Amino acid sequence: MIAALNPGPVQHFCKKQEINQIDQKVSSEQITPTQNERRNINELIQRISSQFRKELTDTTVDRKELDEKIKKCIQSEIEKFPASYEEKRRLEKLAIANIIGLGPIQPLLDNPEITEIVVQRYDNIVVEKNGKIFSTKTVFSDEQALQNVINRILQPVGRAVNLSTPKVDARLEDGSRICATIPPISPKGATLTIRKFNNSMMVDSKYLELGSLSEPMLEFLKKCVQGKTSIFVSGGTGTGKTTFLNMLSAYIPENELLITIEDTLELQLKQKNVRSMETREITSSTMESIDMAALVKSSLRMRPDRIIVGETRDGAVVSLLSAMSTGHEGSMSTGHANSPDNLVRVRIPTMMEMDKGSSFSERAKSLMIAEALQLIVQLRRLPDGKRIVSNICSVEGVDKFGNIILKDIFIYDYSDKKFKYTGFFPKKIAEHLESNGVALTKNILDPEVV
C-alpha cells in the first residue's frame, strides 16, 4: 500500500514520483491477470455490464460519452477494493480493456506496426509485422473471455456468433476486417482474425521506396490507368492486392464517374465522383442478401465510367468482364491467383462457372476473358515478408487451340533480385492508350532506349 499521513514536502514528492512510476509501468506493460485479479475483474465486469446493459446494446448511443461514463464507474468501483495503488491501477486497466476495449488484444490493435492479429486459441495469439508472423505473450483468461470479446466486436454491427451462426465476417468501425468462428466449426475453441485497416494510404512513392516495383513499371502502370486499360491485380492472400489497387486508382482522372464494389469497404478513392457499394449477407428470411454479382449488375445501370471491384471471387466476374468489354473500359479488380497464367486459365474460368444460369464452353470463356482483360499485375510476398510486383503482363488474345496468350512486359528476376523489362512492346495496349489520348513509347518501358 502507498500511504502517508500528513506528508511533508519531501514525502509528498517521493509519493508523487512513486505513483508516476507505477502509472508508467502499468500503462506500458502487458498485464496477465492473477487468479485473484481474474476473479475480481469477472465480478466487476458483471456489475458494470449489468448496469449499462441497455446503453451497451443501443447503437444510437454516443459511444465516446458512454465509454467515459463507464470509465468513471470502473474507477469509482475499483477505489472500493482493499488493494494497493498498483493493484488498483492493474485492475482498472484490465477492467477498461475488457468492458470498453477488446481485452488483451486492445494493445495489439493500438500498435501501428501490427497489420494482422490471429487468435488461434484463447491462449495462442500471433501477429503480423512487416509481412512476417510473430508469436506473442498475449492471452485471454479463458475461452469465454475470447467469445465475449468477439461478440463485443460484432455488437455495433448487429451481429453475433452463436450456435446458429458459428462463423461471422464483419468489420470494425475503423474498417479493419474480422473473421470469427466458434465451436462446432472450430472444435478446439473460438478463433478470431483481424486484418487491420491501413489509415495511411500507400502512395506510389512509398512503393518505390520499399522496392516493390521499378520507376519504369510505375510509369507504365500510370499511363495504363490514365488510358483506360482494364486491369486485374492478382496475387495470394496477404500480398497487398487491395492496397495496390487503391494506389492505382489515384491515377484515374477526376472527371470520371466511378463505382466501387466491395465485401468490406477498404478502397479510399480520393476522386469526388465516387459511389461506393457493399455486399450484405443476411440470414433473416425477411431481408434480402445482396451479393457481389447483384451489385455489379446494378452498377451497370448507374452510368459509371469505370467499375472498381475490390475483389472478385464468384460469378460476379461474368458481369465484370462484360462491363469491361462494353463501355466500361478501364475497370479494375483483384483476384486470388498464383500467377497470371493461373488467373486466366483456372481462377477466372472457375468463377465464371459460379454465375447462375450461365453456361460457357472453354473457348467461349477464353474469348470473353481475352476480349475484356488487357493487363495483369501479379503481386508476390517474398520469404522475408517484402511484397513485390513479380509480373506485369499483357493479354494478347487467344491462339488456335483456345489458349489465352500472355506476354510478360516486366518481371522480377529472383536470382538478381531486380526488376527487368523483357523487351516485349505491347502494341495492342499502346494503340488502346493512343485512342484515349495517352502516348506510350518504348523508352518509357526501357529508359536506356534512345
Side-chain angles (χ1 to χ4, degrees), residues 60-77:
T60 64
V61 169
D62 187 308
R63 292 299 302 185
K64 288 185 179 179
E65 288 184 13
L66 179 60
D67 288 351
E68 284 304 314
K69 283 172 64 177
I70 293 174
K71 279 182 185 178
K72 287 178 182 178
C73 189
I74 290 170
Q75 290 162 353
S76 175
E77 288 290 324

Side-chain angles (χ1 to χ4, degrees), residues 256-274:
E256 294 191 26
L257 303 179
L258 311 176
I259 290 181
T260 66
I261 302 173
E262 300 174 84
D263 282 324
T264 301
L265 294 180
E266 290 183 280
L267 293 170
Q268 304 174 66
L269 274 67
K270 298 302 181 184
Q271 290 86 348
K272 61 181 179 180
N273 298 321
V274 179

